[in-house]
Every structure is written in C-alpha cells, then in structure tokens.
Amino acid sequence: MGYEGYDDYLAERFEAHRGHLRAVAHRMLGSVTEADDAVQETWLRLIRTDTRQIDNLGAWLTTVVGRVCLDMLRSRRSRAEEPLETVPQHPAVPTTGTGPSPAPDPERDALLADSVGVALLVVLDTLTPAERLAFVLHDLFAVPYDEIAAVVGKSPAAARQLASRARRRVRGAEVPDADLARQREVVDAFLAAARAADFDALVAVLDPDVVARTEVGVTTGAAAVARGASRFSRRAGVPVPALVDGRTAMAVFVEGRLDRTLAFTLVRDRIAVIDITTDPARLALLDVELL
C-alpha cells in the first residue's frame, strides 16, 4: 500500500492498526486476498474523511472495516462463487431475533472464541452476514455492541441478539472426526472420484454444506464443490498423501516442487472443509509431513 502524497502521521497511525484490521477482515471473509482488499478500502475511506472529527481512530477503523466486510459478504451471496480451478498466485500480504439469550458466561465464551477455528470454517458461511459480523466482532475481538450496532444499522439490543444467534449455532457445530485412518479413506475416495470426474461419487463424500477455501474466495455446497473438484483434478501435478499442520491432506507436486496443498476437515465421515493453499509464501509456513 502506498502512502505517497498523504500525511505521514496519518499513515503511521493507520499502520499501527493494520494488524488488527487485517485480523478482523480475515476472520470475517476467510480469504487473505479479500481481507487485504478490505483493509485497503478502509485506508481509502480514511483519507477521504476529515480526521479531525474522529475521536477514537481504532474504533472508527474497526467500524469501517466491518462495514466493508459486510458489503463484501452480501456481494458474495449475490454472485456465483469462484470455481476451484481458478486459483491464481497471489503474494502473501503482511432484524432482532426472538427468544431469550442464554445466560452470559464469560469463561465459556472466551474458550469458544479461542477454539472456534474449525467451527468458523464450517458454520460461519451458514450465518447471515449481519450475524457473522456481530459474532466475529464481539466474541473474537471484544467490540462493544453499541459499536457493532453502528455497523449493521441496528440497535445495540438487536446486535446482541445477532451475536447470540450466531453463538448458539457455533456451539452446536459438529465435532470434527479424529480417526486419521478413516479420514484418509474418505480423502482417497474424494481424489479417486475427482480424477474420474464422477460427480455423484464426489457428492457422496462431501458434506451438503461443505466449504472450500482458496486465497481468492470461498465455494460452498456439495454440488458447487464437486463441480470445481472435477475440473481442479485435471491440473498438472502429483498428489501425495500428507498431514498439513496435523490435518489429513494432499500435497500436490509439479516437477518435484510443492505446488499446492489441500487440507481436509471431516464431520461424520464426510468432508466438511477443504483449505487449498497455493501461494508460495503461505506454503512455506505450513508444516507439511508426507505420508
């Protein structure tokens, strides 16, 4: 991001908040590239604003990046998702609900926030954009409800209800399967079906709400992921069974070089999440153990 022509002090203040903004955006969007786009848009909105009217820059920036992410999520739902085979290389860049809310339990909610990685992947894409934003901002980044209300255009009570609904769904998320041998069988069946372009066999091993993530976007639903997997399998490369950061995975090599990894999360013997990494800088950070 270039700051030429802008006040150095303003740029320094923005840079001090960049890590937080990028973390919020990445949790909201599930995509490194989209998160960086959201942070860039936040900077552009900042330089178009009279900063003399901003009392708390951190809160203002969080509000703005939240609004940007909310717009991006709504736009994502209104367009077709990126197919799995279109994975260009990108550089790594540093209404009120009904029913009572559950009794607050700060310790339980803190544990939920710390352990929500897989649940976020599996569940957040099923939430409405407003529910997702309320949960991420409040439960993961401790943003007060009155600030969240300003982002979603609702009352603080309504923002609390949005987060509460999302929290209940995350708590109810299925526990991922832990049997690595069984996971390998399912992943091997997925690979065989993809190579054969067997759509029905692919759907059979995918959770109906499967989420496939790449650096450029998210594909959801068994039918969409199966179509993408059929095309993705025709790309050059030799898949090798692996563990990636301890998860059942495939490491794909092209001319002896690691080209991409596919890491899987299974629930009830079906693939619920596929994380596809192609960026060389991100691949270098992964713990890849070939089997």
Side-chain angles (χ1 to χ4, degrees):
M1 176 187 297
Y3 295 114
E4 295 80 1
Y6 298 105
D7 181 79
D8 289 342
Y9 177 63
L10 180 62
E12 290 174 3
R13 294 178 69 197
F14 182 83
E15 279 300 311
H17 295 282
R18 172 187 286 278
H20 167 74
L21 298 176
R22 193 168 182 269
V24 170
H26 189 259
R27 288 284 191 168
M28 283 290 300
L29 301 168
S31 162
V32 172
T33 302
E34 286 186 305
D36 288 334
D37 289 345
V39 174
Q40 171 75 359
E41 176 61 24
T42 302
W43 163 249
L44 294 176
R45 295 191 186 190
L46 176 63
I47 61 179
R48 294 195 295 262
T49 301
D50 183 356
T51 56
R52 293 172 297 180
Q53 306 300 317
I54 301 176
D55 295 325
N56 184 329
L57 181 63
W60 187 92
L61 290 171
T62 299
T63 296
V64 172
V65 80
R67 286 174 176 159
V68 171
C69 291
L70 191 60
D71 290 342
M72 293 173 73
L73 286 172
R74 287 168 173 163
S75 175
R76 179 188 293 174
R77 290 200 166 199
S78 67
R79 62 174 169 79
E81 297 288 358
E82 295 285 347
L84 290 182
E85 78 276 16
T86 57
V87 186
Q89 299 295 324
H90 288 273
V93 181
T95 80
T96 305
T98 58
S101 299
D105 184 336
E107 181 178 0
R108 179 186 60 189
D109 290 346
L111 289 172
L112 172 67
D114 288 341
S115 64
V116 78
V118 171
L120 276 174
L121 292 175
V122 178
V123 177
L124 286 192
D125 280 301
T126 71
L127 304 177
T128 68
E131 288 172 342
R132 181 168 179 160
L133 182 139
F135 174 79
V136 168
L137 289 186
H138 182 268
D139 286 48
L140 303 186
F141 294 97
V143 176
Y145 285 120
D146 57 349
E147 294 181 21
I148 296 171
V151 179
V152 297
K154 298 182 181 293
S155 69
R160 183 186 297 272
Q161 287 285 350
L162 288 170
S164 177
R165 285 205 301 269
R167 194 177 301 120
R168 288 195 295 270
R169 296 183 72 174
V170 171
R171 287 194 186 116
E174 296 273 5
V175 177
D177 297 339
D179 186 337
L180 292 180
R182 177 56 184 157
Q183 289 184 27
R184 175 54 54 195
E185 292 177 5
V186 176
V187 170
D188 288 346
F190 168 84
L191 178 60
R195 283 172 166 167
D198 188 334
F199 180 82
D200 291 337
L202 279 166
V203 170
V205 298
L206 296 172
D207 185 272
D209 298 316
V210 62
V211 175
R213 298 180 184 275
T214 73
E215 288 97 339
V216 296
V218 180
T219 301
T220 60
V225 172
R227 285 193 296 269
S230 296
R231 296 187 291 268
F232 188 80
S233 67
R234 293 195 289 270
R235 296 182 60 186
V238 178
V240 178
L243 293 177
V244 171
D245 291 341
R247 293 168 61 187
T248 299
M250 289 188 297
V252 181
F253 290 83
V254 175
E255 297 180 349
R257 175 184 57 84
L258 180 61
D259 179 73
R260 59 193 181 275
T261 62
L262 289 80
F264 300 87
T265 298
L266 278 73
V267 172
R268 293 173 300 176
D269 283 343
R270 288 192 176 188
I271 296 170
V273 180
I274 308 174
D275 284 315
I276 303 170
T277 302
T278 61
D279 176 67
R282 294 186 67 203
L283 286 170
L285 298 175
L286 298 177
D287 179 11
V288 179
E289 177 184 352
L290 302 181
L291 301 179

